[in-house]
Amino acid sequence: MAFSHGYAALARNACVEPFEFERRSLGPNDIAASILFCGICHSDLHAIDNDWGFHSYPLVPGHEIIARVTAVGPGVEKFSIGDVVGIGTVIDSCRTCEPCSHGEEIYCETGATPTFGGADRLGTMTYGGFSNDYVVDEHFAVMIPPLLDPAHAAPLLCAGITTYSPLRRANLQSGHKVGIVGMGGLGHLAVKWAKAWGAQVVVFTTTAAKAADALRFGADSTVVSSDLEQMASHGGSFHYILDTVSAPHDPTPYLGLLKLDGTLCMIGMPAEPLSISSMMLAWRRLIVTSSMTGGIAETQEMLDFAATHGIKPEIERVGRSQINEALDRLRRNDVRYRFVIDMGADLVEHP
């Protein structure tokens, strides 16, 4: 065991504070890595506030981790000391069930081990990337391509793969009309992926001020979703709509915008259940689906795609002393468009 330093919420809705804990010892197939950057995801906020009802404390958040390898076990083949790697939303799975066998570890039938806030297969609580280091089996780490700036790569480990995976499965073709609901951390990346696949992209936002950003990121047009006339002008025209909104909202208006056999994919995961009309689904034989993040191989594919196409998140860097301020701003949706903690900035002495 090795002592690590991090930032933990000690109770529901609490601010994070310095926290010392133990990481497991390096196993034969493990890598140890010093954390350089960690993105702040809306899921971190959900976990701190226990919005989903299954988190416990102390809780060290963070699953968008960029780190430099400092040690490798004797069986490690993928990585060497000095490599810059990414650690995303899961750090273990059974590896034998059908999803795991097909590279879909996130959907492990016995339950994937989350990077933070869950028990590993030995029953030990996992602590996340709001910390100085991490130990992980090499299978669950990915290589950061040299063309990707490490700080900008961090949000790709969750926000990036969460939007890339469903859009990839949608088999978008040039000219397909795609709607992106929400212009936050997920939505702004979804715009960039969809444009890279040649889609005609329309962004739906409640914030008119974000329209210029949407166009700058590649959107062909924008719609203020509260404007009924603007919404009606797109009726029955979309092949696919990706809803990235994490706040409770009514998805019904977007069903009316889909073509026959169109798809609405919900990835925002509001804490409260949503209501959808079966009648509206039947009227155009619509599909409503969802998605989590993605498997390890798909995550590596996504990073390589981002490097090749020059796609990166828009970020605000914060130091460790600014984590609570960033979390408060995230609660108010005051971020353009992802916070990334520089774990080497404003070092704090621990007792």
Side-chain angles (χ1 to χ4, degrees):
M1 292 286 190
F3 282 102
S4 297
H5 302 291
Y7 293 83
L10 303 184
R12 182 177 185 178
N13 301 121
C15 293
V16 299
E17 57 184 82
F19 178 70
E20 188 174 85
F21 59 97
E22 287 184 324
R23 295 281 188 204
R24 73 167 188 259
S25 300
L26 193 72
N29 299 310
D30 287 342
I31 61 171
S34 176
I35 296 176
L36 306 173
F37 300 98
C38 185
I40 300 179
C41 177
H42 212 282
S43 296
D44 298 323
L45 203 54
H46 282 307
I48 291 170
D49 295 345
N50 200 19
D51 288 336
W52 296 321
F54 56 77
H55 284 100
S56 59
Y57 307 90
L59 182 137
V60 177
H63 59 202
E64 296 179 339
I65 301 168
I66 302 296
R68 191 180 303 278
V69 176
T70 56
V72 298
V76 170
E77 298 179 352
K78 283 173 59 177
F79 303 107
S80 301
I81 292 173
D83 285 344
V84 177
V85 301
I87 302 166
T89 59
V90 298
I91 48 89
D92 202 1
S93 69
C94 78
R95 312 192 206 186
T96 59
C97 69
E98 185 173 355
C100 285
S101 298
H102 289 88
E104 299 282 8
E105 297 90 347
I106 185 71
Y107 300 107
C108 177
E109 291 176 354
T110 64
T113 302
T115 306
F116 74 87
D120 65 18
R121 280 166 162 69
L122 298 176
T124 305
M125 180 63 66
T126 58
Y127 295 112
F130 289 19
S131 58
N132 66 313
D133 63 5
Y134 210 95
V135 176
V136 65
D137 186 292
E138 66 167 338
H139 177 83
F140 289 87
V142 289
M143 187 74 77
I144 302 302
L147 290 176
L148 285 182
D149 175 81
H152 285 269
L156 295 177
L157 276 301
C158 181
I161 188 61
T162 297
T163 47
Y164 178 92
S165 184
L167 289 170
R168 175 180 177 270
R169 291 197 309 277
N171 295 316
L172 299 182
Q173 299 175 22
S174 180
H176 274 187
K177 189 174 179 181
V178 173
I180 308 297
V181 182
M183 256 294 289
L186 295 176
H188 90 286
L189 278 168
V191 171
K192 297 183 180 190
W193 300 132
K195 285 305 296 182
W197 277 305
Q200 177 190 351
V201 179
V202 179
V203 168
F204 297 90
T205 178
T206 58
T207 308
K210 289 186 176 180
D213 281 352
L215 297 174
R216 180 163 58 88
F217 301 151
D220 295 283
S221 61
T222 62
V223 172
V224 177
S225 55
S226 58
D227 187 319
L228 299 182
E229 186 175 341
Q230 286 188 41
M231 293 286 283
S233 70
H234 290 274
S237 65
F238 285 88
H239 295 83
Y240 189 94
I241 295 177
L242 186 69
D243 187 333
T244 72
V245 177
S246 60
H249 65 288
D250 182 9
T252 302
Y254 301 105
L255 297 177
L257 305 184
L258 290 166
K259 299 168 68 74
L260 179 68
D261 292 325
T263 297
L264 173 64
C265 182
M266 313 285 296
I267 61 171
M269 296 189 183
E272 300 175 12
L274 300 175
S275 177
I276 292 178
S277 166
S278 296
M279 180 70 75
M280 290 197 71
L281 297 183
W283 193 251
R284 285 199 179 96
R285 205 166 57 199
L286 304 179
I287 300 166
V288 176
T289 186
S290 190
S291 179
M292 290 202 289
T293 54
I296 304 304
E298 188 178 41
T299 300
Q300 185 67 66
E301 174 192 300
M302 176 270 305
L303 290 167
D304 295 340
F305 185 93
T308 299
H309 291 82
I311 294 172
K312 64 180 182 180
E314 308 296 319
I315 68 169
E316 289 187 49
R317 295 195 196 199
V318 297
R320 290 194 277 176
S321 65
Q322 299 169 291
I323 294 175
N324 285 311
E325 178 186 349
L327 289 168
D328 286 340
R329 285 182 57 194
L330 184 57
R331 283 189 177 92
R332 304 193 302 269
N333 293 318
D334 177 23
V335 54
R336 299 287 181 90
Y337 281 85
R338 296 289 283 197
F339 286 119
V340 173
I341 307 166
D342 184 339
M343 298 306 297
D346 52 88
L347 298 177
V348 176
E349 293 294 328
H350 291 265

